[in-house]
């Protein structure tokens, strides 16, 4: 069973963004899945690194979209992305040196992703869609 399920509440109606968010969810699930493997630490490290690199790629695409559609709040939004990258990095280190519970790391990743998509990313997509509608 997946740790976090993709559901319609996470779907924003922008095909590229939705596809990337689905991949993000799949990578978080992968981190959880490997935590049950015998070679746990190395596997977690590998899966977390993949998730982390993908997050950076996704943020890059989303920041380009904000730029393209002239989203006014883009600097604050980009700052939220930076903070996620920094915090994830720190939590990953803590998890690997044993000073953090793996479950706490997972809870952080899932809560952040859901909240960020539904509250923050949703605003960008709404802005892009309004702009598109105004053109027609
Ligand atoms: Fe975002
Ligand atoms: Fe996003």
């Amino acid at each position: 069973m997946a740790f976090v399920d993709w559901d319609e509440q996470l779907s924003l109606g922008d095909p590229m963004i939705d596809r990337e968010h689905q991949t993000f969810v799949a990578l978080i699930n992968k981190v959880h899945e490997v935590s049950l493997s015998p070679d746990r630490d190395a596997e977690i490290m590998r899966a977390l690194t993949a998730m982390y690199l993908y997050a950076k790629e996704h943020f890059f695409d989303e920041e380009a979209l904000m730029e393209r559609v002239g989203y006014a709040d883009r600097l604050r939004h980009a700052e939220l992305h930076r903070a996620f990258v920094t915090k994830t990095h720190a939590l990953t280190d803590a998890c690997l040196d044993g000073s953090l519970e793996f479950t706490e790391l997972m809870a952080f990743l899932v809560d952040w992703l859901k909240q960020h998509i539904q509250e923050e990313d949703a605003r960008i997509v709404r802005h892009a869609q309004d702009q598109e509608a105004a053109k027609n």
Side-chain angles (χ1 to χ4, degrees), residues 9-71:
Q9 288 186 335
L10 294 173
S11 181
L12 301 179
D14 179 300
M16 180 194 83
I17 297 289
D18 286 343
R19 202 169 47 242
E20 292 189 359
H21 286 158
Q22 279 171 341
T23 303
F24 210 147
V25 164
L27 286 166
I28 289 179
N29 279 325
K30 179 79 183 162
V31 176
H32 184 255
E33 191 191 307
V34 300
S35 72
L36 308 167
S37 85
D39 193 15
R40 204 190 129 157
D41 289 356
E43 291 278 333
I44 289 177
M45 188 63 208
R46 217 167 291 140
L48 271 171
T49 304
M51 189 224 67
Y52 178 81
L53 290 175
Y54 190 78
K56 285 181 137 182
E57 203 179 307
H58 167 60
F59 294 159
F60 181 84
D61 286 344
E62 220 172 72
E63 285 161 29
L65 171 68
M66 289 195 283
E67 193 80 47
R68 208 159 58 235
V69 299
Y71 182 67

Side-chain angles (χ1 to χ4, degrees), residues 12-131:
L12 301 179
D14 179 300
M16 180 194 83
I17 297 289
D18 286 343
R19 202 169 47 242
E20 292 189 359
H21 286 158
Q22 279 171 341
T23 303
F24 210 147
V25 164
L27 286 166
I28 289 179
N29 279 325
K30 179 79 183 162
V31 176
H32 184 255
E33 191 191 307
V34 300
S35 72
L36 308 167
S37 85
D39 193 15
R40 204 190 129 157
D41 289 356
E43 291 278 333
I44 289 177
M45 188 63 208
R46 217 167 291 140
L48 271 171
T49 304
M51 189 224 67
Y52 178 81
L53 290 175
Y54 190 78
K56 285 181 137 182
E57 203 179 307
H58 167 60
F59 294 159
F60 181 84
D61 286 344
E62 220 172 72
E63 285 161 29
L65 171 68
M66 289 195 283
E67 193 80 47
R68 208 159 58 235
V69 299
Y71 182 67
D73 211 16
R74 61 186 180 274
L75 290 180
R76 189 189 61 88
H77 193 114
E79 198 39 59
L80 296 173
H81 288 165
R82 297 290 87 78
F84 174 82
V85 168
T86 306
K87 174 115 188 201
T88 303
H89 206 157
L91 288 177
T92 302
D93 284 347
C95 191
L96 292 170
D97 72 20
S99 58
L100 178 90
E101 278 292 316
F102 180 70
T103 47
E104 279 179 54
L105 170 70
M106 289 310 295
F108 166 76
L109 293 177
V110 173
D111 290 349
W112 190 91
L113 189 77
K114 287 189 168 180
Q115 191 263 350
H116 185 83
I117 290 177
Q118 287 171 348
E119 289 175 27
E120 300 293 341
D121 293 346
R123 285 191 203 134
I124 306 172
V125 174
R126 225 174 298 136
H127 175 84
Q129 286 167 343
D130 287 352
Q131 227 189 27

